[in-house]
């Protein structure tokens, strides 16, 4: 059977007055049914644009310029807004960093949730209300009846995000794209929400793309990781393999810059240099001005190639050895 989501050579560019910002270039990614993929990278690397492109939510001056997004065999790029409207919220849902992107400030929670159910399903109002109530309980909200009658401003940030997650889960979608949904919350709430979402997805067989700049957060959650740099996927593979033996020099740098609990006070390695401007990308490998392994060969941009004998891909001419090699 084909994968649930299969993105091939997807490019989304922004046509600005200052030039063309190639926000994502030839991104290829796939997600299996029920799988959790962590999409990781620094600010500006193209993570959100990837998520928005999948959902058909890229606004001008941006547009998907090429590539294919196959969702359960249907091409979302070709299908356009009509196909997307029938899938969005029902089979593919998004959780944003700011829950108010999902919630309407002037409507009570019960109204919003019931309307969401009725948008895609022919059920009675009372059935829709019962489903909403169950969804709130599932995301750890106590006193759901009281909460249903409240407005978003009556909730804390963490509670608001829980409600947004409950809404995303209402239709038991096949895929959820979560764009830094816990970044604004305190660490304890973050950890709670993370494990609840993981559990809920496992129970309903929902696949999840968890977008974050925080490798430490996602490595405890994801089955696979895809690392982005300057609008490209530079490494992809099973989480444990990637963390224990990163092959791309950028991934290795990222991992070495994450503080580890046990090495309190140890010096962290920082990746030297700055993220390049998308309007003025270096020639060849986009990481070459910052890369300790760069040489003349890196003036040619490498492809994201499969690593023979493994379930991994890497975009590098001189990769580090994979574990056991
Ligand atoms: N509306 C826009 N107009 C012009 N350029 C844009 C627009 N939105 C995104 N971009 C370009 O796309 C790049 C990638 O943006 P994106 O939001 O995907 O980054 P990100 O990886 O999600 O970063 P962050 O961690 O800060 O959320 C940006 O650096 C910017 O150059
Ligand atoms: S291709 Fe070259 S410059 Fe790019 S990451 Fe690999 S070694 Fe570094
Ligand atoms: Mg983003």
């Amino acid at each position: 059977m084909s994968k649930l989501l299969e993105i091939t050579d997807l490019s989304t560019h922004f046509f600005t007055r200052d030039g063309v910002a190639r926000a994502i270039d030839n991104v290829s990614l796939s997600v299996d049914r029920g799988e959790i993929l962590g999409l990781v990278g620094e600010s500006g690397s193209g993570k959100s644009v990837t998520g928005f492109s999948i959902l058909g939510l890229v606004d001008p001056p941006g547009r998907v310029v090429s590539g294919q997004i196959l969702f359960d065999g249907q091409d979302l790029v070709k299908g356009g807004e009509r196909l997307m409207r029938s899938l969005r919220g029902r089979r593919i849902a998004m959780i944003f960093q700011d829950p108010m992107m999902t919630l309407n400030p002037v409507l009570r929670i019960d109204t919003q949730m019931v309307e969401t159910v009725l948008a895609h399903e022919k059920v009675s109002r009372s059935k829709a209300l019962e489903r909403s109530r169950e969804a709130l309980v599932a995301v750890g909200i106590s006193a759901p009846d009281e909460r249903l009658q409240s407005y978003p401003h009556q909730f804390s940030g963490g509670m608001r995000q829980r409600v947004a997650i409950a809404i995303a889960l209402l239709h038991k979608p096949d895929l959820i794209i979560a764009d830094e949904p816990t970044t604004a919350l305190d660490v304890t709430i973050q950890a709670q929400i993370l494990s609840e979402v993981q559990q809920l997805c496992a129970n309903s067989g929902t696949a999840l793309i968890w977008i974050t700049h925080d490798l430490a957060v996602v490595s405890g959650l994801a089955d696979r990781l895809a690392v982005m740099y300057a609008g490209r996927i530079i490494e992809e593979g099973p989480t444990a393999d990637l963390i224990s033996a990163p092959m791309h020099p950028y991934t290795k740098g990222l991992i070495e810059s994450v503080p580890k609990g046990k090495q309190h006070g140890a010096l962290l390695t920082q990746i030297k240099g700055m993220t390049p401007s998308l309007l003025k990308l270096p020639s060849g490998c986009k990481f070459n001005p910052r890369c300790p392994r760069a040489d003349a060969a890196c003036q040619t941009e490498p492809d994201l190639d499969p690593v023979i004998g493994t379930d991994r891909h890497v975009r590098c001419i001189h990769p580090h050895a994979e574990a056991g090699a």
Side-chain angles (χ1 to χ4, degrees), residues 14 16 21 23 41-50 61 179-180 213 278:
F14 288 85
T16 72
E42 292 171 303
S43 184
S45 56
K47 307 180 297 292
S48 296
V49 170
T50 303
D179 192 353
E180 311 245 14
H213 63 276
L278 289 180

Side-chain angles (χ1 to χ4, degrees), residues 247-250 284-295 297-302 315-319:
M247 298 181 71
H248 195 285
Y250 176 68
C285 170
K286 303 309 165 217
F287 190 56
N288 82 60
R290 303 174 74 183
C291 182
R293 306 194 127 198
D295 65 12
C298 305
Q299 284 304 316
T300 305
E301 182 164 26
R315 187 190 283 277
C316 177
I317 291 164
H318 308 297

Side-chain angles (χ1 to χ4, degrees), residues 12-16 19 21-24 40-52 58-62 97 179-180 211-213 228 231 276-279:
T12 300
H13 298 167
F14 288 85
F15 298 85
T16 72
R22 297 170 196 278
I24 62 172
V40 194
E42 292 171 303
S43 184
S45 56
K47 307 180 297 292
S48 296
V49 170
T50 303
F52 286 140
V58 178
D59 289 325
Q97 180 174 349
D179 192 353
E180 311 245 14
I211 295 177
T212 181
H213 63 276
M228 289 194 81
S277 155
L278 289 180
L279 296 172

